[in-house]
Amino acid sequence: MPENVTAITEVFADGQKVTAAIIEYAHGIDNVKLLKTQYAVEGRTITAVYANSKPELTSEGRDGKYVILELDPEDTLACTIVQNSTGEVKVQPAQVNVRQVEDIWTVTGATYSATGDVLVNNTQINLVVDDFIEQNFWDLKTGQFLRYSLFIPEHYSADKSYPLVVFIHDRGVCSPTQSLGLVQGLGGVIWASPAEQAKRECFVLVPHYAEAIVNDRFETTMHFDLTVDLINSITNHYSINKQRLYATGQSMGCMSMLEMNIKYPHMFAAALLCAGQWNPDTISAIAENNVWVLVSEGDDRAFNGMNACMSSLESVGAKISRAVWNARASEADQADVVQAMIAESKNIKYTMFENGTVVPEDEKDDPTIPDMLKNHMHTWKVVYKIESLRDWLFSHEKAN
């Protein structure tokens, strides 16, 4: 009998999903003799099976006491995220129900006989998410605290200076559950992924809020100011390059970051913001900042609000690149339109995703969620997958 089963999760644009099960045996398993037909996972599609000497996914199997079952992330039961008609997000524990339905062989030629017993995972590993540390930031002046998650580069050295990305989540994940801002989508975790860290090591800061910190009347709460104090605390405590602080956020996070750029126009080197709007009467303060805003035409509130902001900026002489994109364009085409806007050499960029291209076909007819909210929530599912936008953000550095 297996000794342990572990569920593996990864975060995708549409949230955290269970993508593998790791089964631990007492003895090494013969990798060559492993077949997908030897296992079944309830409600899931097994896409690959192999052995490994470590409890982790790998590109090439090898003899070892761990059997890895890779699972299709497109399965209906893959996602741990549940979102209701108002956009509120909750996360469920990852679960896999595994059965060994055929005999398997050890490296010594012995067998583990099929039992058909259902094995439920008793542990969970969350790729990238588990690399963040969860902390509380206390404001000694007010006695208030702010929860946050922080990613520290694996090979951090105080002798080097690192960029910092600050991501603020949307109102839908405001709750006591601290990890929601990491698992709901890519906005917080993409910067800490192995591929991104290999390109550019950086810190990633994700504050977490139990309640909204801005509202549609352009008001902020004390936790907005506490976030500024948190950023300053992190940049002073670690070896962080203050000329390379980057702002990003979605919906409430977009609104918060716009206001932060207005109040502190010299804090960030650049901002990548999506699915939000703000006060057109005060937005002129960011006229010289490096800001890329992306909204969906079908997201009426963000689209109309941001149009007003852009008009206000242009009235004070801001240089703005505008473009309408197809949200379903290929990765190569997306890279081309990004480069086309960059080539215009204007510091403010405004992208509108064409109506009808943002919401996936299989969700368009879902009556449980209003069309505007569908367009709103899918905006950031598109934005954070575009690698060239992330490249643009990191291309900026403030002058001394």
Coordinates of all heavy atoms in Angstrom, one line a residue, residues 137-146 148 164 166 205 207 209 221-237 242 260 264 267-268:
F137 N 2.2 43.3 9.3 CA 2.9 44.5 9.5 C 2.1 45.4 10.5 O 1.0 45.7 10.3 CB 3.0 45.3 8.1 CG 3.6 46.7 8.3 CD1 4.9 46.8 8.6 CD2 2.8 47.8 8.0 CE1 5.5 48.1 8.7 CE2 3.3 49.1 8.1 CZ 4.7 49.2 8.5
W138 N 2.8 45.8 11.6 CA 2.1 46.5 12.6 C 2.5 48.0 12.6 O 3.6 48.3 12.4 CB 2.5 45.9 14.0 CG 1.9 44.6 14.3 CD1 2.5 43.4 13.9 CD2 0.7 44.3 14.8 NE1 1.7 42.4 14.3 CE2 0.5 42.9 14.9 CE3 -0.4 45.1 15.4 CZ2 -0.6 42.2 15.4 CZ3 -1.5 44.4 15.9 CH2 -1.6 43.0 15.9
D139 N 1.5 48.8 12.7 CA 1.7 50.3 12.8 C 1.6 50.7 14.2 O 0.6 50.7 14.9 CB 0.6 51.0 12.0 CG 0.7 52.5 12.0 OD1 1.7 53.0 12.6 OD2 -0.1 53.2 11.4
L140 N 2.8 51.0 14.8 CA 2.8 51.3 16.2 C 2.1 52.6 16.6 O 1.7 52.7 17.7 CB 4.3 51.4 16.6 CG 5.2 50.1 16.4 CD1 6.6 50.4 16.9 CD2 4.6 49.0 17.2
K141 N 1.9 53.4 15.6 CA 1.2 54.7 15.9 C -0.3 54.5 16.1 O -0.9 55.1 17.0 CB 1.4 55.7 14.7 CG 2.9 56.1 14.5 CD 3.0 57.0 13.3 CE 2.7 56.3 12.0 NZ 3.0 57.1 10.8
T142 N -0.9 53.6 15.3 CA -2.3 53.4 15.4 C -2.7 52.1 16.0 O -3.9 51.9 16.3 CB -2.9 53.5 13.9 OG1 -2.4 52.4 13.2 CG2 -2.6 54.8 13.3
G143 N -1.8 51.2 16.1 CA -2.1 49.8 16.6 C -2.8 48.9 15.6 O -3.2 47.8 15.9
Q144 N -2.8 49.4 14.3 CA -3.4 48.6 13.3 C -2.4 47.7 12.6 O -1.2 48.0 12.7 CB -4.1 49.5 12.2 CG -5.2 50.4 12.7 CD -6.4 49.5 13.1 OE1 -6.7 48.6 12.4 NE2 -7.0 49.9 14.2
F145 N -2.8 46.6 12.0 CA -1.9 45.8 11.3 C -2.4 45.4 9.9 O -3.6 45.5 9.6 CB -1.6 44.5 12.1 CG -2.7 43.5 12.1 CD1 -2.7 42.5 11.1 CD2 -3.8 43.6 13.0 CE1 -3.8 41.5 11.1 CE2 -4.8 42.6 12.9 CZ -4.8 41.6 12.0
L146 N -1.5 45.0 9.0 CA -1.8 44.7 7.7 C -1.1 43.3 7.3 O 0.1 43.2 7.5 CB -1.3 45.8 6.7 CG -1.4 45.5 5.2 CD1 -2.9 45.4 4.9 CD2 -0.8 46.7 4.5
Y148 N 0.4 40.5 4.9 CA 1.0 40.6 3.6 C 1.8 39.3 3.3 O 2.1 38.5 4.2 CB 1.9 41.8 3.4 CG 3.2 41.7 4.3 CD1 4.4 41.2 3.8 CD2 3.2 42.2 5.6 CE1 5.5 41.2 4.6 CE2 4.3 42.2 6.3 CZ 5.5 41.7 5.8 OH 6.6 41.7 6.6
L164 N 11.6 45.4 -6.8 CA 10.4 45.0 -6.0 C 9.1 45.2 -6.8 O 8.9 46.4 -7.3 CB 10.3 45.8 -4.7 CG 9.0 45.7 -3.9 CD1 8.8 44.2 -3.4 CD2 9.0 46.7 -2.8
V166 N 5.1 45.3 -6.4 CA 4.0 45.4 -5.4 C 2.7 45.1 -6.2 O 2.3 45.9 -7.1 CB 3.9 46.7 -4.7 CG1 2.8 46.7 -3.7 CG2 5.3 47.1 -4.1
L205 N 5.8 41.7 -3.4 CA 5.0 42.0 -2.2 C 3.5 42.0 -2.5 O 3.1 42.8 -3.4 CB 5.4 43.4 -1.6 CG 4.6 44.0 -0.5 CD1 4.7 43.1 0.8 CD2 5.1 45.4 -0.1
P207 N 0.2 42.7 -0.4 CA -0.6 43.0 0.8 C -2.0 42.3 0.6 O -2.5 42.1 -0.5 CB -0.8 44.5 0.7 CG 0.2 45.0 -0.3 CD 0.4 43.9 -1.2
Y209 N -6.0 42.3 2.2 CA -7.0 43.2 2.8 C -8.3 42.4 3.2 O -8.8 41.6 2.3 CB -7.3 44.4 2.0 CG -6.1 45.1 1.5 CD1 -5.6 44.9 0.2 CD2 -5.4 46.0 2.3 CE1 -4.5 45.5 -0.3 CE2 -4.3 46.6 1.8 CZ -3.8 46.4 0.5 OH -2.7 47.0 0.1
T221 N -9.0 54.2 2.6 CA -9.1 53.9 4.1 C -7.7 54.0 4.7 O -6.7 54.2 4.0 CB -9.6 52.5 4.3 OG1 -8.6 51.5 3.9 CG2 -10.9 52.2 3.5
M222 N -7.6 53.8 6.0 CA -6.3 53.9 6.7 C -5.4 52.8 6.2 O -4.2 52.9 6.2 CB -6.5 53.8 8.2 CG -7.1 52.5 8.7 SD -7.2 52.4 10.5 CE -5.4 52.5 10.9
H223 N -6.0 51.6 5.7 CA -5.1 50.6 5.2 C -4.4 50.9 3.9 O -3.4 50.3 3.6 CB -5.9 49.3 5.1 CG -6.2 48.6 6.4 ND1 -7.3 48.9 7.1 CD2 -5.4 47.8 7.1 CE1 -7.3 48.2 8.3 NE2 -6.1 47.5 8.3
F224 N -4.9 51.9 3.2 CA -4.2 52.4 2.0 C -2.9 53.1 2.5 O -1.8 52.8 2.0 CB -5.1 53.4 1.3 CG -4.4 54.1 0.2 CD1 -4.4 53.6 -1.1 CD2 -3.7 55.3 0.4 CE1 -3.7 54.3 -2.1 CE2 -3.0 56.0 -0.6 CZ -3.0 55.5 -1.9
D225 N -3.0 53.9 3.5 CA -1.8 54.6 4.0 C -0.9 53.6 4.7 O 0.4 53.7 4.6 CB -2.2 55.7 5.0 CG -3.0 56.8 4.4 OD1 -2.6 57.3 3.3 OD2 -4.1 57.1 4.9
L226 N -1.4 52.6 5.3 CA -0.6 51.5 5.9 C 0.2 50.8 4.9 O 1.3 50.3 5.1 CB -1.5 50.6 6.7 CG -0.9 49.7 7.8 CD1 -0.1 50.6 8.8 CD2 -2.0 48.9 8.5
T227 N -0.4 50.6 3.7 CA 0.3 49.9 2.6 C 1.5 50.7 2.2 O 2.6 50.1 1.9 CB -0.7 49.8 1.4 OG1 -1.8 49.0 1.8 CG2 0.0 49.0 0.3
V228 N 1.4 52.0 2.1 CA 2.6 52.8 1.8 C 3.7 52.7 2.8 O 4.8 52.5 2.5 CB 2.2 54.3 1.7 CG1 3.4 55.2 1.4 CG2 1.1 54.5 0.6
D229 N 3.3 52.6 4.1 CA 4.2 52.4 5.2 C 4.9 51.0 5.1 O 6.1 50.9 5.3 CB 3.6 52.5 6.5 CG 3.1 54.0 6.8 OD1 3.6 54.9 6.2 OD2 2.2 54.1 7.7
L230 N 4.1 50.0 4.7 CA 4.6 48.7 4.5 C 5.6 48.7 3.4 O 6.7 48.1 3.6 CB 3.4 47.7 4.2 CG 3.8 46.3 3.7 CD1 4.6 45.6 4.7 CD2 2.6 45.5 3.2
I231 N 5.3 49.3 2.3 CA 6.3 49.3 1.2 C 7.6 49.9 1.6 O 8.7 49.4 1.3 CB 5.7 50.1 -0.1 CG1 4.5 49.3 -0.6 CG2 6.8 50.3 -1.1 CD1 3.7 50.1 -1.6
N232 N 7.5 51.1 2.3 CA 8.7 51.7 2.8 C 9.5 50.9 3.8 O 10.7 50.8 3.8 CB 8.4 53.1 3.4 CG 7.9 54.1 2.4 OD1 8.3 54.1 1.3 ND2 7.0 55.0 2.9
S233 N 8.8 50.1 4.6 CA 9.4 49.2 5.6 C 10.2 48.1 4.9 O 11.3 47.8 5.2 CB 8.4 48.6 6.5 OG 9.0 47.7 7.4
I234 N 9.5 47.5 3.9 CA 10.2 46.4 3.1 C 11.4 46.9 2.4 O 12.5 46.3 2.4 CB 9.2 45.8 2.1 CG1 8.0 45.1 2.9 CG2 9.9 44.8 1.2 CD1 8.4 43.9 3.7
T235 N 11.3 48.1 1.7 CA 12.5 48.6 1.0 C 13.6 49.0 1.9 O 14.8 49.0 1.4 CB 12.0 49.8 0.1 OG1 11.5 50.8 0.9 CG2 11.0 49.3 -1.0
N236 N 13.3 49.4 3.1 CA 14.4 49.7 4.0 C 15.0 48.5 4.7 O 16.2 48.6 5.1 CB 13.8 50.7 5.1 CG 13.5 52.1 4.6 OD1 14.1 52.5 3.6 ND2 12.5 52.7 5.1
H237 N 14.2 47.5 4.9 CA 14.7 46.3 5.6 C 15.6 45.4 4.7 O 16.6 44.8 5.2 CB 13.5 45.5 6.1 CG 13.9 44.3 6.9 ND1 14.4 44.4 8.2 CD2 14.0 42.9 6.6 CE1 14.7 43.2 8.7 NE2 14.4 42.3 7.7
K242 N 15.6 51.2 -4.8 CA 14.4 52.0 -4.8 C 14.1 52.8 -6.1 O 13.1 53.4 -6.2 CB 14.6 53.0 -3.6 CG 14.6 52.4 -2.2 CD 14.7 53.4 -1.1 CE 14.7 52.7 0.2 NZ 14.8 53.7 1.4
M260 N -2.0 55.8 -5.4 CA -0.7 55.9 -4.9 C 0.3 56.6 -5.8 O 1.2 57.4 -5.3 CB -0.2 54.4 -4.6 CG 0.8 54.3 -3.5 SD 1.1 52.5 -3.0 CE -0.5 52.1 -2.3
Y264 N 2.1 59.9 -4.5 CA 3.5 59.7 -4.4 C 4.0 59.4 -5.8 O 4.4 58.3 -6.2 CB 3.8 58.5 -3.5 CG 3.2 58.5 -2.1 CD1 2.0 57.9 -1.9 CD2 3.7 59.3 -1.1 CE1 1.3 58.0 -0.7 CE2 3.1 59.4 0.1 CZ 1.9 58.7 0.3 OH 1.3 58.8 1.6
M267 N 7.4 57.5 -6.4 CA 7.6 56.2 -5.7 C 8.0 55.1 -6.7 O 8.9 54.3 -6.5 CB 6.4 55.8 -4.9 CG 6.6 54.4 -4.2 SD 5.2 53.9 -3.2 CE 5.5 54.9 -1.7
F268 N 7.2 54.9 -7.8 CA 7.4 53.8 -8.7 C 8.0 54.1 -10.0 O 7.8 55.2 -10.5 CB 6.0 53.2 -9.0 CG 5.3 52.6 -7.8 CD1 4.2 53.3 -7.2 CD2 5.7 51.4 -7.2 CE1 3.6 52.8 -6.1 CE2 5.1 51.0 -6.0 CZ 4.0 51.6 -5.5

